[in-house]
Amino acid sequence: MTYCAPPLPGASLAAPGAGRPSADGLDHARARLATRLVAAAAPDGLLRAPCESRVLESALALRLLTVTGVDPDAQERLTRRLKTALDEGGTDPVQEAAARAALGEYVDGPAALARLLDGFDHFTAGRKRLMFQTVLAELGAHPYPELRSPGDVFEARGQQRWLVTEMAALKVLHAFGTGSPRLVSGADWRALAPCARPGPPPYGNHLVRTLGLLALRHSTRHAAAVAARARELRAGLGEDGGLPYITGLDVFATALGGLALAGAGAPALTLRALATALTERQNADGGWGFDRGVAQSDVDDTSYCVEFLRAAAPERCGAEVAAGERYLLSRAGADGGFPTFEPGTASEVAITAAAVNALAPVPAHRSVVEAGVRFLVDRQGAAGPVERSWSLNESNALFRTVLAYDSCRAAVPGGPAAAGAGRARARAVARLLATRNEDGGWGHVPSDPSDPISTAYALIAVARTPAEPAAVAATERAVRYLLDRQRPDGGFVSRPDQAGPRPFAYHVPLLTDVCVLLGLNHAAAARGRAGA
């Protein structure tokens, strides 16, 4: 995503102003962050980016162990995790409902669901409502939802593999929960089969496996496998006794962290080691998944990997980059946009921006890049809120689109798409400048307090806007905000930013360090150009 700070359009930054953090202070902060990222490398070369536990998966795990009657010790650990979460507060209404239901307490599940999804403007909202209703019913929070055509509403043909498995699990749970097991087909049982296999959870997804095992317990044929996998569940529990949503984001963090390290001037040997680790995780279709062992490729991870490999080891990784580009091209939609997973599904703003940035440097992809930018401009011009998708941040989608507009204008200067991109870029930056907080930072949305990862996202965009005096000032204040919050160990702590299933937040702490380094790199590059 052009994180290595290519040339910027516009004028130079203004001279240093009063209160501006020193260049030495900024460089020292970046060096400490880079050192932390290098230290996060696992023996296989990928950066370790584990996911923290979450209430939803912990509640479902407790339910699974309870109904199968296995591992009392793990049941106790999960119980403590849920009680602690309830005591500490701050859990969203649906996850609070799930925790109380798993602990045997009554809660008004439907009302909680309505409160969470109120205002969730996304093409997946209907499916998410059905999912959460069924999950809360399985946990005992309220009755199963009444459906007009229960055999069809759980259909997920043409969607990503883990979603097909997830929806099959929900269908089975609903069918048995409402006394209609005849609705379950052989295809449904086959879709659930990966959940019964030993080893890591399929698709790196603990939520999908736990739902799958809860569904498979209704099949006498799978009873032994369900009990065996339930006994193995303790291996996935975190130090706090809870279960995370996914196994981690090691591939995602390595590609993005590699770009951050490249922008911070990391040694070529370090970058090549990360690049080699990524090439070893490329899937047969040419794409990448988010973690080791995840065979479901997606546009977001593939875009990051293509950009990093091209930047870090173009001679050594040319074949892998070309395969990644072919994967991306195969996902382009008729509307010019890109979906996260399968072709033909809904295009998304942040994902399209990622693909544009990965493809823009190659002249042969010019038409696809221009079509992608037209999609972004049209979507940005439509009425409605700024997209919040796999990130809960407005600033995430905004900085991605700013980078995509810059990539298009650099690759196709003077073209019709570039003209529209310039106007759309100005609107995106204006939105960021209008929504920053008094402390110089940004939150997830304008009404939220500032946090480091939201601020880092916004900093990438405003630091690349030297022709706008307000952006120059915002850059300096954002840098100060971040440097003031760097911990003694060099790292940063932020609120959860990732979402899955959308709109549920989950937390991968390493991503905060990665994204802050990206933001500070762009600020340092802007200063370098101002002093040139």
Side-chain angles (χ1 to χ4, degrees):
M1 306 177 81
T2 50
Y3 290 114
C4 294
L8 303 181
S12 299
L13 282 175
R20 171 176 175 166
S22 70
D24 288 346
L26 176 55
D27 290 344
H28 183 56
R30 294 166 64 216
R32 294 167 69 199
L33 268 176
T35 299
R36 279 179 59 84
L37 292 186
V38 172
D44 66 359
L46 295 180
L47 298 186
R48 289 176 294 243
C51 180
E52 290 190 347
S53 74
R54 192 167 64 173
V55 168
L56 176 61
E57 287 73 20
S58 301
L60 288 168
L62 180 57
R63 169 70 171 168
L64 175 63
L65 296 184
T66 301
V67 298
T68 55
V70 305
D71 203 339
D73 178 64
Q75 291 184 44
E76 177 59 27
R77 293 175 64 190
L78 287 160
T79 297
R80 289 198 303 269
R81 167 70 174 95
L82 295 176
K83 288 183 176 180
T84 299
L86 292 175
D87 289 344
E88 293 177 346
T91 303
D92 66 68
V94 168
Q95 293 198 79
E96 180 179 345
R100 295 193 183 280
L103 293 171
E105 304 174 10
Y106 173 76
V107 68
D108 185 4
L113 184 68
R115 288 195 299 273
L116 176 70
L117 293 181
D118 183 34
F120 179 52
D121 183 18
H122 196 266
F123 67 89
T124 65
R127 186 171 70 228
K128 295 302 166 50
R129 185 171 287 105
L130 174 63
M131 173 195 174
F132 299 147
Q133 287 176 327
T134 305
V135 165
L136 292 175
E138 169 62 25
L139 291 169
H142 64 86
Y144 281 88
E146 295 183 6
L147 303 174
R148 291 185 178 180
S149 55
D152 299 327
V153 295
F154 296 100
E155 178 61 53
R157 266 196 300 253
Q159 300 288 343
Q160 58 269 30
R161 281 165 273 175
W162 60 263
L163 182 58
V164 172
T165 300
E166 177 185 286
M167 296 306 288
L170 296 173
K171 178 182 177 181
V172 170
L173 291 174
H174 187 276
F176 280 86
T178 56
S180 306
R182 68 185 185 284
L183 295 176
V184 179
S185 67
D188 296 324
W189 294 121
R190 287 191 293 275
L192 295 174
C195 298
R197 297 169 188 155
Y203 326 113
N205 193 312
H206 288 293
L207 174 61
V208 168
R209 167 171 267 180
T210 308
L211 286 172
L213 292 175
L214 284 167
L216 285 169
R217 82 181 195 277
H218 294 293
S219 167
T220 55
R221 175 184 170 194
H222 293 95
V226 169
R229 301 294 82 77
R231 292 188 187 94
E232 295 167 0
L233 185 146
R234 65 168 38 244
L237 301 184
E239 292 182 1
D240 62 0
L243 189 68
Y245 166 49
I246 53 176
T247 53
L249 290 176
D250 290 9
V251 170
F252 180 87
T254 300
L256 193 56
L259 286 163
L261 287 168
L269 183 63
T270 298
L271 301 180
R272 284 198 297 269
L274 296 174
T276 298
L278 286 176
T279 61
E280 294 172 351
R281 301 295 172 178
Q282 190 169 23
N283 291 328
D285 60 7
W288 280 266
F290 59 81
D291 199 9
R292 52 173 60 76
V294 176
Q296 171 72 66
S297 300
D298 65 81
V299 171
D300 206 20
D301 286 283
T302 302
S303 297
Y304 285 119
C305 289
V306 165
E307 278 211 72
F308 174 59
L309 294 181
R310 186 187 289 129
E315 306 86 2
R316 300 161 64 101
C317 302
E320 289 83 0
V321 168
E325 291 171 4
R326 289 193 294 272
Y327 169 85
L328 294 176
L329 295 171
S330 73
R331 263 59 188 169
D335 59 3
F338 288 75
T340 303
F341 294 104
E342 299 301 329
T345 55
S347 298
E348 303 188 57
V349 169
I351 303 305
T352 300
V356 165
N357 281 304
L359 296 171
V362 182
H365 306 327
R366 173 175 175 172
S367 61
V368 177
V369 168
E370 290 187 300
V373 168
R374 284 193 294 270
F375 169 85
L376 294 174
V377 172
D378 290 346
R379 185 66 65 90
Q380 185 180 343
V386 176
E387 178 189 89
R388 295 194 299 152
S389 184
W390 299 108
S391 166
L392 295 170
N393 262 296
E394 277 195 7
S395 56
N396 181 278
L398 288 170
F399 95 79
R400 287 177 179 232
T401 55
V402 166
L403 290 177
Y405 296 147
D406 288 351
S407 294
C408 177
R409 294 165 71 191
V412 196
R423 294 187 292 272
R425 185 193 196 281
R427 290 195 298 272
V429 173
R431 170 72 178 184
L432 288 171
L433 294 176
T435 56
R436 64 190 175 106
N437 293 324
E438 288 297 319
D439 60 8
W442 282 262
H444 283 183
V445 295
S447 59
D448 286 350
S450 301
D451 65 85
I453 198 167
S454 304
T455 301
Y457 291 149
L459 177 56
I460 294 171
V462 297
R464 294 180 56 80
T465 313
E468 174 61 58
V472 176
T475 296
E476 294 305 328
R477 294 196 63 198
V479 170
R480 171 52 63 198
Y481 171 88
L482 291 171
L483 296 192
D484 285 348
R485 284 153 183 80
Q486 189 166 29
R487 293 162 62 88
D489 62 7
F492 288 80
V493 174
S494 197
R495 64 188 295 197
D497 163 65
Q498 303 296 296
R502 296 173 282 191
F504 276 131
Y506 69 94
H507 193 37
V508 178
L510 186 74
L511 290 185
T512 300
D513 289 343
V514 168
C515 294
V516 170
L517 181 56
L518 289 169
L520 295 179
N521 286 345
H522 276 269
R527 285 188 178 183
R529 283 183 291 271

